[in-house]
Amino acid sequence: MTMSGRATRSLWICEPCGFVYDPEEGDPDGGVEPGTPFEDIPDDWMCPICGAAKSDFRPLEPGEQFPGEDTETMVMIAGYDHFVQLAESLQWDETDLDLGPDRDAWTRLAPDEAATVRGLVAGFAVAEASVAGQLGSYQAAALDDTMQAAFRAQARDEARHARFFDLVAAQVLGVPGDTPADRLDVLRREVSSELVDLFEHRLPSTARRLADDHTGLTGAVGLYHMVIEGVVLLAGQHAMLQALDRLSVPLPGVRRGTELVLRDERWHIGFGSRVVQSAELGGEEADALLEQGETAAKVWGGLITPDAIALAVKQHRRRLKAAGIKFW
């Protein structure tokens, strides 16, 4: 199908990630048959790339570009300027969040409620502290200035996420320590060894290899954006929001901050999917991405239910297919 053919019908773009819904393609894995106009998609349908809601889509404007003139797969917006501009529009300051009510409410939570939230915060503290320091190698390996700018914008986001979860640990949970590193030493002991290995060993190792060999960019993005962000962090954020919804006493500041982190992560996943889509992965690389996602979904241990893990893996497979990655 040529771009001129696509232009004759209504196309819709996911603003958080740049995925373009084409009614002729539909989204069969998401329950939307080919030929379904966007207006007729069920309201609970979610973007196959980042999981955003149907309400986060808008009509594609004339002149907005696609990655190629001819494709048999679902498409995403061309280039990386979309992500750089989006990142600029989504900036927020973690110190603007009022955590006072959360601090007061924390002591009134039931022990099991507090344990779940603390476990998830500990996991995010370890994860975000690690990822915030790894994007320099990705920037250096970027294929052009706009890709480099997107990596730079993402690094700014990740550093903010690390500061947010450290604030929650210090001000709400009361984790002891004079510095973020001190508090991280405490929290690291409260997460699974698999999570620590993924974020503090596998990811840094991948970044070091990328620093030495820029041709490994696609594989590095596959681990970081598709697996770590698309599976591990996304599943954890949904688990956190669900846990917060079930609390006997609300934690409004923690919830708002988690929502803002999730909003940032959606464009990160879209950006990574766009990079991987452009690389045209081979079968072995695609299979490895799928396997990594299935394994990584389990690093949260008992903090995420088996059903949530299964859903994260299903979404990972759907995301890979939507980005045009073939592995079956």
Side-chain angles (χ1 to χ4, degrees):
M1 173 59 63
T2 64
M3 294 301 101
S4 60
R6 291 185 188 276
T8 63
R9 56 186 182 276
S10 178
L11 304 174
W12 290 68
I13 182 172
C14 176
E15 290 206 281
C17 78
F19 169 75
V20 176
Y21 176 78
D22 183 342
E24 186 166 293
E25 300 289 343
D27 176 24
D29 288 341
V32 179
E33 293 299 318
T36 303
F38 184 82
E39 294 81 359
D40 294 343
I41 296 175
D43 289 339
D44 60 356
W45 176 81
M46 297 185 299
C47 173
I49 295 291
C50 73
K54 179 183 176 183
S55 59
D56 289 317
F57 281 68
R58 64 166 172 79
L60 197 69
E61 299 294 336
E64 289 186 284
Q65 299 298 309
F66 292 90
E69 288 297 321
D70 222 353
T71 179
E72 295 179 354
T73 66
M74 297 183 184
V75 295
M76 297 182 68
I77 199 72
Y80 305 104
D81 283 334
H82 169 83
F83 303 109
V84 176
Q85 295 167 9
L86 182 61
E88 288 299 324
S89 72
L90 298 179
Q91 291 305 298
W92 55 284
D93 188 334
E94 72 282 356
T95 62
D96 289 339
L97 297 170
D98 183 5
L99 296 176
D102 303 62
R103 181 169 53 249
D104 295 338
W106 182 253
T107 58
R108 304 201 302 275
L109 293 180
D112 60 329
E113 294 176 329
T116 297
V117 173
R118 184 180 175 107
L120 290 165
V121 169
F124 281 120
V126 170
E128 297 290 0
S130 175
V131 300
Q134 304 304 325
L135 280 166
S137 297
Y138 289 73
Q139 291 179 52
L143 302 180
D144 59 41
D145 290 345
T146 59
M147 182 188 287
Q148 186 177 70
F151 280 128
R152 187 163 52 248
Q154 183 179 356
R156 179 176 54 185
D157 285 355
E158 303 295 10
R160 181 174 56 247
H161 300 170
R163 295 193 301 269
F164 164 67
F165 285 110
D166 179 62
L167 277 178
V168 172
Q171 297 183 11
V172 180
L173 279 59
V175 175
D178 295 329
T179 68
D182 292 339
R183 289 184 285 274
L184 196 60
D185 285 341
V186 174
L187 294 172
R188 188 180 290 109
R189 298 193 291 269
E190 302 180 19
V191 301
S192 72
S193 60
E194 291 83 3
L195 189 144
V196 173
D197 179 67
L198 176 62
F199 285 98
E200 296 192 346
H201 299 287
R202 286 181 57 197
L203 178 60
S205 177
T206 297
R208 286 193 296 271
R209 288 196 300 272
L210 180 59
D212 294 333
D213 180 6
H214 291 179
T215 63
L217 179 63
T218 301
V221 168
L223 174 64
Y224 192 146
H225 295 75
M226 305 296 280
V227 174
I228 286 179
E229 294 202 297
V231 178
V232 180
L233 295 182
L234 201 62
Q237 287 146 8
H238 285 300
M240 174 69 89
L241 291 173
Q242 291 170 359
L244 293 171
D245 282 342
R246 294 193 293 265
L247 295 181
S248 56
V249 184
L251 300 177
V254 175
R255 179 177 183 83
R256 179 55 180 160
T258 302
E259 290 172 341
L260 291 170
V261 169
L262 177 58
R263 187 180 69 179
D264 291 340
E265 299 290 7
R266 292 197 193 284
W267 84 255
H268 300 174
I269 294 167
F271 167 49
S273 298
R274 183 70 187 86
V275 173
V276 171
Q277 183 186 59
S278 299
E280 299 182 355
L281 294 186
E284 291 185 5
E285 293 172 301
D287 288 342
L289 265 182
L290 181 61
E291 183 179 356
Q292 288 173 3
E294 292 173 343
T295 301
K298 302 173 184 177
V299 302
W300 288 103
L303 293 169
I304 296 183
T305 66
D307 285 347
I309 291 173
L311 178 60
V313 172
K314 180 180 178 181
Q315 290 175 330
H316 179 55
R317 178 184 288 268
R318 183 179 172 216
R319 182 180 302 115
L320 294 175
K321 186 174 182 181
I325 299 171
K326 303 300 183 183
F327 51 89
W328 49 77

